[in-house]
Amino acid sequence: MHMLFEYTTLRLIWWSLLGVLLIGFALTDGWDLGIGALLPFVARNDVERRMAINVAAPTWEGNQVWFILGGGAIFAAWPLVYAASFSGFYLAMFLVLAALILRPVGFKYRSKRPEARWRSAWDLGLFVGGFVPSLVFGVAVGNVLRGVPIRLDGDLRLFYEGSLWGLFTPLPLLCGLLSVSMMVLHGASYLGIRLAASAVRERARLAGSVAALAVIVLFAAGGVLVAWGGFGYAVTTMPPADGPSNPLWATTVPQSGAWLDNFVAHPWMMIAPALGFLGAALAFVGLRTRHELASLGGSSMASAGIIATVGLSMFPVILPSSVDPHSSLLVWNASSSQHTLGIMLVCTVIFLPVVLAYTAWVYRVMWGRVTTAEISTNPDLY
């Protein structure tokens, strides 16, 4: 495959595929995270909580595959990005993994005993497993936009010069809240389409409506903060797009508002933020008018548009360094070899359709509305 595509093209393909995998994770596991974060607010007794849980429980494990694929793609296609992000954000990633571990045991163990205290404890675990990853993922994106304190020496050894608490500054926190709102909106929209008429569905619609408005406000606030808050990096020395990977060949400098330059140079990119705003507005209208397909479609558009906005605004930068202008990681200077990217593309072309087909089949088999009667009579439900 690497003989069919130039090195530059392969790098662009994998940059695009990374975005696709992140969007796929947000669109599938996103509603599972959102349902977990919503659980204490939309369900007020054990039956109602079981209704919400059984919307997510049959497919959450398959949805989490997108998270693994995204991490694997970064590891294989952008090894320096993987090393910098997973090392620098190690404690934050540990927090995410600890929260995510609560999900499987929460699903499996909450119904093992009938005591209210036992079940409430696991319900709290499911809430943490939905809220904390949603928040930390957004905080991580905010730190990437702000710049990461990484430094490479002459031997390309990586050094991270930040701390855990340094991750939680105003822009990252705003991005974290936007991420939580985005997941809650998506989870509420999915509950609306998967639950039979019930109090849980009505509360989910109300919570989703609030989340849709929060997405619009926070997305706009983030744009204003990025534009006039001193954030952005300009590439002053561009490495050759078809040359070997060497991060020290590039130079980036902090430049206020630089993350908006791509939208000025390429107006078609405005499609991404437009999808973010219009999708959230469509989801709000769909939730208020009880148009379930519109709300789910709108929340999906919003998630895809917001994630695409970040990627397009930063291109070709992937991970900017805030402490060393020669240590920023770009599409052109941090990828694996042309041969590696080509082999990976062959594997992706073969196996990604299989994953998509299997996922579609699973959803077709598991599809249907969860009802109070089914919760009471079906022994296979959690």
Side-chain angles (χ1 to χ4, degrees):
M1 184 68 75
H2 67 281
M3 300 300 294
L4 299 178
F5 295 104
E6 296 179 348
Y7 199 8
T8 303
T9 305
L10 282 171
R11 283 167 161 162
L12 283 172
I13 289 173
W14 273 103
W15 175 80
S16 302
L17 282 174
L18 179 58
V20 169
L21 292 173
L22 293 176
I23 290 173
F25 171 66
L27 295 188
T28 53
D29 205 38
W31 54 51
D32 298 331
L33 296 175
I35 291 171
L38 278 171
L39 191 60
F41 308 102
V42 300
R44 297 179 180 174
N45 57 52
D46 186 64
V47 171
E48 291 182 349
R49 286 191 288 270
R50 290 182 63 205
M51 289 180 68
I53 288 169
N54 280 282
V55 169
T59 54
W60 75 269
E61 289 174 289
N63 294 339
Q64 201 157 271
V65 167
W66 292 96
F67 179 60
I68 299 170
L69 289 175
I74 296 173
F75 173 76
W78 316 98
L80 279 174
V81 175
Y82 180 91
S85 58
F86 280 71
S87 297
F89 299 155
Y90 180 79
L91 292 177
M93 290 295 180
F94 181 82
L95 185 63
V96 168
L97 292 176
L100 288 177
I101 288 171
L102 291 175
R103 284 207 298 174
V105 292
F107 284 129
K108 300 296 184 182
Y109 280 94
R110 80 169 301 278
S111 295
K112 296 296 183 181
R113 294 173 59 178
E115 292 89 349
R117 181 177 296 181
W118 171 269
R119 295 190 173 189
S120 295
W122 289 116
D123 290 340
L124 177 61
L126 291 173
F127 166 75
V128 172
F131 176 80
V132 170
S134 300
L135 178 68
V136 175
F137 287 145
V139 168
V141 172
N143 276 280
V144 171
L145 289 169
R146 188 189 64 169
V148 182
I150 56 173
R151 177 175 57 84
L152 293 163
D153 66 9
D155 296 321
L156 297 185
R157 290 180 299 179
L158 179 72
F159 299 89
Y160 179 79
E161 299 181 356
S163 64
L164 176 62
W165 298 115
L167 300 176
F168 296 91
T169 55
L171 178 62
L173 283 175
L174 187 148
C175 292
L177 293 175
L178 174 58
S179 176
V180 171
S181 300
M182 191 170 71
M183 297 300 101
V184 166
L185 171 60
H186 204 43
S189 299
Y190 193 60
L191 284 174
I193 206 169
R194 287 295 312 279
L195 286 177
S198 61
V200 181
R201 190 169 72 174
E202 295 306 311
R203 295 189 200 110
R205 282 175 174 152
L206 178 59
S209 300
V210 175
L213 296 176
V215 167
I216 294 171
V217 172
L218 292 170
F219 192 31
V224 171
L225 189 57
V226 166
W228 290 294
F231 299 101
Y233 288 82
V235 183
T236 57
T237 303
M238 187 73 72
D242 59 349
S245 291
N246 187 339
L248 302 180
W249 286 357
T251 305
T252 59
V253 295
Q255 182 175 309
S256 181
W259 291 146
L260 303 182
D261 289 348
N262 281 344
F263 298 107
V264 176
H266 308 284
W268 65 267
M269 291 184 178
M270 290 299 295
I271 294 172
L275 281 177
F277 285 114
L278 293 176
L282 176 61
F284 176 80
V285 172
L287 287 165
R288 301 316 301 160
T289 60
R290 292 177 170 78
H291 198 297
E292 297 157 352
L293 289 177
S295 63
L296 186 61
S299 67
S300 301
M301 286 172 51
S303 298
I306 291 170
I307 293 171
T309 297
V310 175
L312 291 172
S313 68
M314 293 182 60
F315 183 85
V317 180
I318 300 179
L319 200 64
S321 171
S322 60
V323 295
D324 180 10
H326 297 292
S327 295
S328 293
L329 306 180
L330 279 61
V331 172
W332 316 126
N333 72 354
S335 73
S336 295
S337 68
Q338 182 179 4
H339 185 68
T340 299
L341 296 181
I343 292 175
M344 287 172 54
L345 186 57
V346 171
C347 296
T348 302
V349 169
I350 294 172
F351 291 109
L352 186 58
V354 176
V355 172
L356 291 172
Y358 177 74
T359 301
W361 177 78
V362 167
Y363 271 94
R364 182 176 180 275
V365 171
M366 298 293 184
W367 198 256
R369 292 190 184 272
V370 179
T371 66
T372 304
E374 188 179 17
I375 289 292
S376 303
T377 59
N378 190 338
D380 296 324
L381 296 183
Y382 290 105

